[in-house]
Amino acid sequence: MENKNVQNTDTERRKRVFSAIKPTGNPTLGNYLGAMQYWPQMADEYDCLYAVADLHAITVAIEPKELRENSKRLFALLIAMGIDPEKNILFMQSHVGAHSELCWLLNNYTMFGEASRMTQFKDKSKKAPDNINVGLFDYPVLMAADILLYQADVVPVGDDQLQHVELCRTIANRFNNRYSPTFTVPVGKTPKYGARIFSLSDPTAKMGKSDGAGDGSVFLLDPPEVIMRKFKRAVTDCDTKVKASKDKAGITNLLTIYAALNNTTVESAEREFENADYATFKARVGEAAVERLRPIRERYEALRRDEGALCEIMNAGAEKAARIAKRTLDKVYKKIGFVRI
Ligand code: TRP
């Protein structure tokens, strides 16, 4: 018989979660319902690390002032939406140097062809043909470094990031096979409900973080009257039934949003609005969003009033993250054959 007590140290380590979000644009209800809202509750089951992926934000042109403000805003928002910095490791990616270091090392175990096949790279290249920089190409390798540094088991992401997690697995397996088991090979996990939220003004396009002036995106920090206005103006169709279907993209999107806000299914939302007209339905979705976002905005505003306290939280998070990251990074340097001092 095996001695259980001896095994315990390793097998009973709680599984680890890592995820990150870029401080580009303004976080939307789509980001929240599609991914972020599930982050706080994961601490019940996992040891969680969450980062503001500021290093990833410079792969597309961004003003220094904007990067700085976006990063602070997102960091505070993550706390405001429920990520307790005492129960999770919350940090700014650029505060832990190991991310850039491991990225360079992993570049040498990533094939040019593999990185070339990334859909997001191809899309972004098309959108900004005059700024197809090497960082944009390298983006998924930095992402792999983020994940692998912490030996994460699970990576909660929106479905547009699954291909990047797949590449991360390929890199991890290649390194493990070339040397010896070094990295935990992670799995990507998309949420059950509301994985894809579309624009309210063009329900065939993703709800974007940079839809500045338009009414297509609901931002997490929008005041209630703005949220209501955006929902009331949401594009629908000339039918009258609140029912999800392929040719009713607008209504389907609103049903998805409503279901995600109430942690229920689209089918049960359909039943709830069986006899409702579009105007009533849209107002009800708006109200649900307002109520969900109100406490988040209030907590956010309180956090932003004390910049010093926010800095301290960043500092503490970076220290905890760096300690774990260093262990992995040291191992990687050693295995490759670098002389260590
Ligand atoms: N690329 C991710 C996105 O755009 C953000 C990200 C950066 C990330 N590093 C990560 C997500 C590591 C998961 C794990 O949403």
Short mmCIF file of all heavy atoms in Angstrom, two decimals, residues 18-20 22 53 56 139 143 146-147 155 157 161, ligand 1:
data_model
loop_
_atom_site.label_atom_id
_atom_site.label_comp_id
_atom_site.label_asym_id
_atom_site.label_seq_id
_atom_site.Cartn_x
_atom_site.Cartn_y
_atom_site.Cartn_z
N PHE A 18 -4.66 30.64 -13.96
CA PHE A 18 -4.08 31.92 -14.38
C PHE A 18 -4.92 32.51 -15.50
O PHE A 18 -5.31 31.81 -16.44
CB PHE A 18 -2.64 31.75 -14.91
CG PHE A 18 -2.04 33.07 -15.31
CD1 PHE A 18 -1.31 33.82 -14.40
CD2 PHE A 18 -2.26 33.61 -16.58
CE1 PHE A 18 -0.81 35.08 -14.75
CE2 PHE A 18 -1.77 34.86 -16.93
CZ PHE A 18 -1.03 35.59 -16.02
N SER A 19 -5.18 33.80 -15.39
CA SER A 19 -5.73 34.51 -16.54
C SER A 19 -5.31 35.96 -16.51
O SER A 19 -4.79 36.45 -15.49
CB SER A 19 -7.25 34.39 -16.62
OG SER A 19 -7.66 34.72 -17.94
N ALA A 20 -5.48 36.63 -17.63
CA ALA A 20 -5.07 38.03 -17.71
C ALA A 20 -5.96 38.75 -18.70
O ALA A 20 -6.64 38.13 -19.52
CB ALA A 20 -3.61 38.12 -18.17
N LYS A 22 -5.98 42.50 -21.13
CA LYS A 22 -5.17 43.62 -21.62
C LYS A 22 -5.81 44.96 -21.28
O LYS A 22 -7.01 45.12 -21.42
CB LYS A 22 -5.11 43.56 -23.15
CG LYS A 22 -3.99 42.76 -23.70
CD LYS A 22 -4.01 42.83 -25.21
CE LYS A 22 -5.41 42.63 -25.73
NZ LYS A 22 -5.60 42.00 -26.98
N ALA A 53 -2.53 42.52 -18.29
CA ALA A 53 -1.50 42.20 -19.28
C ALA A 53 -1.04 43.46 -20.01
O ALA A 53 -1.29 43.64 -21.20
CB ALA A 53 -2.02 41.15 -20.25
N HIS A 56 1.25 43.11 -23.09
CA HIS A 56 0.54 42.77 -24.33
C HIS A 56 -0.09 43.99 -24.99
O HIS A 56 -0.40 43.96 -26.18
CB HIS A 56 -0.56 41.74 -24.04
CG HIS A 56 -0.06 40.33 -23.97
ND1 HIS A 56 0.15 39.68 -22.77
CD2 HIS A 56 0.28 39.44 -24.93
CE1 HIS A 56 0.59 38.45 -23.01
NE2 HIS A 56 0.68 38.28 -24.31
N TYR A 139 3.12 37.83 -29.57
CA TYR A 139 2.06 37.96 -28.55
C TYR A 139 1.69 36.62 -27.89
O TYR A 139 1.68 36.50 -26.66
CB TYR A 139 0.87 38.62 -29.24
CG TYR A 139 -0.36 38.89 -28.43
CD1 TYR A 139 -0.75 40.20 -28.15
CD2 TYR A 139 -1.17 37.86 -27.97
CE1 TYR A 139 -1.90 40.46 -27.44
CE2 TYR A 139 -2.32 38.12 -27.26
CZ TYR A 139 -2.69 39.41 -26.99
OH TYR A 139 -3.83 39.67 -26.29
N MET A 143 2.13 35.21 -23.95
CA MET A 143 0.96 34.66 -23.24
C MET A 143 1.29 33.27 -22.67
O MET A 143 0.92 32.94 -21.54
CB MET A 143 -0.20 34.60 -24.23
CG MET A 143 -1.54 34.46 -23.58
SD MET A 143 -2.86 34.71 -24.79
CE MET A 143 -4.00 33.48 -24.19
N ASP A 146 3.29 33.80 -19.59
CA ASP A 146 2.41 34.19 -18.48
C ASP A 146 1.87 32.96 -17.77
O ASP A 146 1.88 32.85 -16.54
CB ASP A 146 1.16 34.95 -18.99
CG ASP A 146 1.50 36.28 -19.65
OD1 ASP A 146 2.62 36.78 -19.47
OD2 ASP A 146 0.61 36.81 -20.36
N ILE A 147 1.36 32.05 -18.57
CA ILE A 147 0.67 30.88 -18.04
C ILE A 147 1.65 29.88 -17.42
O ILE A 147 1.46 29.40 -16.30
CB ILE A 147 -0.14 30.17 -19.16
CG1 ILE A 147 -1.19 31.13 -19.74
CG2 ILE A 147 -0.75 28.87 -18.67
CD1 ILE A 147 -1.80 30.67 -21.07
N VAL A 155 -6.86 27.73 -17.51
CA VAL A 155 -6.78 29.10 -18.01
C VAL A 155 -8.15 29.53 -18.51
O VAL A 155 -8.56 29.18 -19.62
CB VAL A 155 -5.76 29.21 -19.16
CG1 VAL A 155 -5.62 30.66 -19.62
CG2 VAL A 155 -4.41 28.66 -18.74
N VAL A 157 -10.64 31.67 -20.34
CA VAL A 157 -10.53 32.67 -21.41
C VAL A 157 -11.82 32.71 -22.23
O VAL A 157 -12.64 31.80 -22.17
CB VAL A 157 -9.38 32.33 -22.40
CG1 VAL A 157 -8.04 32.69 -21.82
CG2 VAL A 157 -9.43 30.87 -22.82
N GLN A 161 -9.51 33.16 -27.46
CA GLN A 161 -8.14 32.95 -26.96
C GLN A 161 -7.76 31.47 -26.87
O GLN A 161 -6.63 31.13 -26.49
CB GLN A 161 -7.97 33.60 -25.58
CG GLN A 161 -8.08 35.12 -25.60
CD GLN A 161 -7.01 35.76 -26.46
OE1 GLN A 161 -5.83 35.43 -26.35
NE2 GLN A 161 -7.40 36.66 -27.35
N1 TRP B 1 -4.55 37.63 -24.76
C1 TRP B 1 -5.55 37.68 -23.76
C2 TRP B 1 -6.76 38.47 -24.29
O1 TRP B 1 -6.65 39.22 -25.19
C3 TRP B 1 -5.03 38.31 -22.49
C4 TRP B 1 -3.94 37.47 -21.90
C5 TRP B 1 -2.63 37.80 -21.82
C6 TRP B 1 -4.10 36.19 -21.31
N2 TRP B 1 -1.93 36.79 -21.23
C7 TRP B 1 -2.81 35.80 -20.89
C8 TRP B 1 -5.20 35.36 -21.10
C9 TRP B 1 -2.60 34.55 -20.28
C10 TRP B 1 -4.98 34.12 -20.48
C11 TRP B 1 -3.69 33.75 -20.07
O2 TRP B 1 -7.83 38.35 -23.74
#
